[in-house]
Amino acid sequence: MSLKRLNIRGISYSQTQNGAYALVLKEVDGSRQLPIVIGAFEAQSIAIALEKELSPPRPLTHDLFKTFAQRFSIVVKQVIIHKLVDGVFYSSLICERDKIEEIIDARTSDAIALAVRFKAPVFTYENILEEAGIQQHIKPDKELEMEELDGEEMIEELINAAAQEVDDYSKFSISELNKMLDEAVSNEDYELAAQIRDEISKR
């Protein structure tokens, strides 16, 4: 199975309610995007790592992991999102110490937070992109625009986020869910799109 490299496109959140966040990963040399629902703490950690001008007064958990790893000459070489089961993504950290590679199981949100800190590439398999990727039709002369989020504003919103009860989509038919998915993608509501996609996958 071929590996596809992904870049972080952004973190999407609802303007009207607090809750889960969608980390949006985009296929390099392609138009598919992979929205992954993550918690507020992990979203905050990724946002802080991406916002180079911001640094917390005390190290976050992922900062501590990086410092710990560096002290013992451990490097995160890459992250691979290798499995998708019932809407849950499974990832591995490919680490190296003394030219010996080790594979460590990790939650995808934690793996991405560490990949940003180690400047490590993120990959997934073609079959996962086929199953869970959302196709974006981008005009050749115009890159898809995403709302620019102020770094401090985003982090403040993430810190204040409360747990959100996920809507029940079981009452909708597949055709209704597909229409809802298309509408969510058109509105760039990746959090909602990921939830609807996961419901479709379960069917």
Side-chain angles (χ1 to χ4, degrees):
M1 288 185 290
S2 61
L3 283 172
K4 298 289 184 179
R5 185 166 179 175
L6 304 169
N7 285 335
I8 297 175
R9 183 166 185 264
I11 298 173
S12 172
Y13 61 88
S14 172
Q15 298 283 350
T16 58
Q17 58 184 348
N18 292 325
Y21 292 77
L23 170 68
V24 183
L25 304 175
K26 184 179 182 300
E27 174 186 22
V28 174
D29 299 326
S31 59
R32 289 173 294 184
Q33 300 189 80
L34 196 65
I36 300 174
V37 177
I38 62 175
F41 172 78
E42 292 78 12
Q44 173 195 353
S45 180
I46 293 169
I48 288 175
L50 291 171
E51 192 67 36
K52 299 192 170 30
E53 295 180 2
L54 292 174
S55 58
R58 300 292 296 148
L60 300 176
T61 303
H62 299 110
D63 297 320
L64 175 62
F65 183 98
K66 181 186 178 186
T67 302
F68 182 88
Q70 288 179 327
R71 291 289 175 89
F72 290 92
S73 303
I74 300 169
V75 177
V76 175
K77 303 290 289 184
Q78 61 184 15
V79 166
I80 299 178
I81 303 171
H82 61 85
K83 188 167 66 172
L84 173 61
V85 179
D86 295 331
V88 178
F89 292 88
Y90 292 78
S91 295
S92 296
L93 295 169
I94 312 301
C95 303
E96 185 180 270
R97 181 173 184 265
D98 296 333
K99 297 183 179 179
I100 298 174
E101 273 194 357
E102 296 286 349
I103 300 174
I104 300 174
D105 183 41
R107 295 188 309 166
T108 298
S109 54
D110 290 327
I112 300 294
L114 291 172
V116 174
R117 286 166 170 80
F118 281 92
K119 296 180 173 55
V122 178
F123 297 92
T124 192
Y125 290 106
E126 172 65 29
N127 65 314
I128 292 177
L129 268 177
E130 284 183 2
E131 180 179 350
I134 295 174
Q135 187 76 31
Q136 279 289 356
H137 301 288
I138 301 173
K139 295 179 181 179
D141 60 340
K142 184 178 180 183
E143 184 70 20
L144 180 69
E145 294 179 0
M146 186 174 186
E147 180 186 359
E148 290 295 327
L149 300 177
D150 176 76
E152 293 185 11
E153 198 175 280
M154 179 195 296
I155 291 165
E156 183 179 351
E157 175 69 20
L158 291 166
I159 291 171
N160 295 329
Q164 174 189 2
E165 184 177 348
V166 177
D167 291 332
D168 180 16
Y169 296 107
S170 59
K171 58 187 178 184
F172 296 102
S173 68
I174 288 290
S175 61
E176 289 172 329
L177 288 171
N178 281 317
K179 287 179 183 177
M180 291 165 64
L181 178 61
D182 290 340
E183 185 176 347
V185 172
S186 297
N187 295 332
E188 295 193 28
D189 187 345
Y190 295 108
E191 174 191 344
L192 177 60
Q195 292 171 3
I196 297 170
R197 177 207 62 205
D198 292 344
E199 178 63 31
I200 293 172
S201 298
K202 289 178 186 176
R203 305 285 182 93

